[in-house]
Amino acid sequence: MRFLKQLLDFYINSSIHVALAVLALVKITQFIVGIEADYVAVFFAFFGTVVGYNFVKYNALARTQKWQMGRQLKAIAVMSFIALLASGYFFFQLQRNTKIIGIIFLLLTLLYTLPFFPNKKNARNWAGIKIYIVALCWVGVTLVLPIINAEIKITSDFYLKCIQRFVFVFVLILIFEINDIKKDDPHLQTVPQQIGVKQTKRVGSVLLLLFIILEFLNKNLNFSTLLLKTGIASIVLLFLLFAHENRSKYYTSFWVESVPILWWLLVLLFG
């Protein structure tokens, strides 16, 4: 059991799980817009997420040298380096316009992580802005990037999908913020810190309702897609309602982040 727990911890701590969630959303995007066999965007998103998330999580510790690299961290460092090479390889296979999109979200990640201005905190520590940057990056990587790379014509439905994806990711992050309310620096001014846990759950519930309502504005409204999104929104709602600050880290880092993967599997089965 101890070995299995260590394996699970490595799987989560090395950002493989969150990268699979990103990959799942990219595949969902490709399915709903009819993109076939574009594995470049998929693998770029996967490996880029591993690198980006590990950079965000471990960069500050590495720069301040306040840690000692144990066996697991060394393994994560090696895996992150391999992922960096892989993401670089797939980056150069992307279309020119997609590369520009990728660079924009790379800069957002760096802004989120590194203090660019003297005596200033990075964007991750700017009061109240963290959730918007993260949600925006997820929309860019999982929706904008694969559509631009496939040279799909941009229509009003594209912007509708962007809003829907932003709302979906935003609510997932709200669950993380509720779970981490005791651990987060009060200066972060996360949504639960600003309005309280109960009000955050109300906001998240309304946003999930908006997520479903937006589907009715889709020009190619499909009943099975609507039903599937309603089911996924219901699962997220349950995670939101049962979230509290004393939950295990696995509640969010494994189960909540599994929702996009579940969504993708359901799309494969019933889409």
Side-chain angles (χ1 to χ4, degrees):
M1 286 297 292
R2 185 182 175 188
F3 171 75
L4 291 176
K5 184 180 182 302
Q6 289 176 334
L7 193 63
L8 177 62
D9 286 341
F10 176 78
Y11 171 70
I12 293 171
N13 294 337
S14 62
S15 304
I16 296 174
H17 190 57
V18 68
L20 282 176
V22 167
L23 181 149
L25 288 176
V26 173
K27 294 297 291 182
I28 290 167
T29 298
Q30 292 181 335
F31 178 84
I32 61 179
V33 299
I35 300 171
E36 294 183 7
D38 182 5
Y39 293 104
V40 172
V42 172
F43 288 127
F44 173 72
F46 176 81
F47 289 114
T49 300
V50 171
V51 175
Y53 264 77
N54 286 343
F55 182 68
V56 168
K57 284 192 286 188
Y58 303 115
N59 166 71
L61 287 173
R63 281 190 296 113
T64 56
Q65 298 182 334
K66 290 181 178 178
W67 64 329
Q68 300 242 336
M69 286 188 75
R71 187 182 302 173
Q72 186 180 106
L73 288 172
K74 286 179 181 177
I76 290 173
V78 171
M79 194 192 71
S80 298
F81 179 71
I82 294 171
L84 176 63
L85 295 178
S87 61
Y89 169 79
F90 287 110
F91 173 81
F92 287 108
Q93 309 305 311
L94 295 170
Q95 300 287 350
R96 181 174 176 274
N97 289 339
T98 319
K99 289 176 183 174
I100 295 171
I101 298 294
I103 290 170
I104 289 171
F105 288 103
L106 170 63
L107 292 175
L108 269 177
T109 303
L110 293 175
L111 178 65
Y112 180 75
T113 310
L114 300 174
F116 279 91
F117 307 104
N119 303 317
K120 297 289 185 181
K121 296 181 178 180
N122 55 37
R124 191 182 189 186
N125 294 310
W126 293 352
I129 201 171
K130 169 187 170 183
I131 190 170
Y132 301 100
I133 293 178
V134 176
L136 189 62
C137 285
W138 275 64
V139 172
V141 172
T142 68
L143 187 76
V144 178
L145 191 146
I147 288 177
I148 297 297
N149 198 60
E151 299 181 324
I152 302 291
K153 184 180 178 182
I154 302 299
T155 65
S156 58
D157 278 351
F158 168 79
Y159 300 105
L160 179 66
K161 287 178 174 62
C162 285
I163 296 170
Q164 265 191 315
R165 187 62 56 84
F166 184 89
V167 168
F168 175 75
V169 174
F170 192 92
V171 177
L172 290 182
I173 300 171
L174 286 181
I175 302 172
F176 275 81
E177 291 193 344
I178 291 171
N179 201 57
D180 295 340
I181 192 169
K182 283 186 175 179
K183 295 180 285 184
D184 281 337
D185 188 325
H187 296 293
L188 278 177
Q189 288 293 290
T190 62
V191 176
Q193 288 174 340
Q194 292 184 68
I195 64 175
V197 171
K198 189 176 291 187
Q199 194 64 21
T200 299
K201 291 182 179 183
R202 288 174 183 161
V203 169
S205 301
V206 171
L207 287 174
L208 287 171
L209 180 60
L210 175 64
F211 174 76
I212 300 302
I213 291 172
L214 286 171
E215 190 63 23
F216 288 96
L217 301 178
N218 195 321
K219 291 179 181 178
N220 301 308
L221 179 61
N222 182 288
F223 179 74
S224 61
T225 301
L226 174 63
L227 195 62
L228 189 53
K229 285 188 176 180
T230 302
I232 289 297
S234 299
I235 292 170
V236 175
L237 178 62
L238 288 175
F239 275 119
L240 177 68
L241 295 179
F242 286 100
H244 58 74
E245 60 269 25
N246 295 318
R247 286 285 185 189
S248 161
K249 68 174 183 177
Y250 301 112
Y251 184 79
T252 48
S253 296
F254 182 78
W255 294 111
V256 173
E257 283 185 349
S258 295
V259 173
I261 301 171
L262 173 63
W263 187 0
W264 179 35
L265 292 176
L266 291 175
V267 167
L268 292 177
L269 289 172
F270 304 109

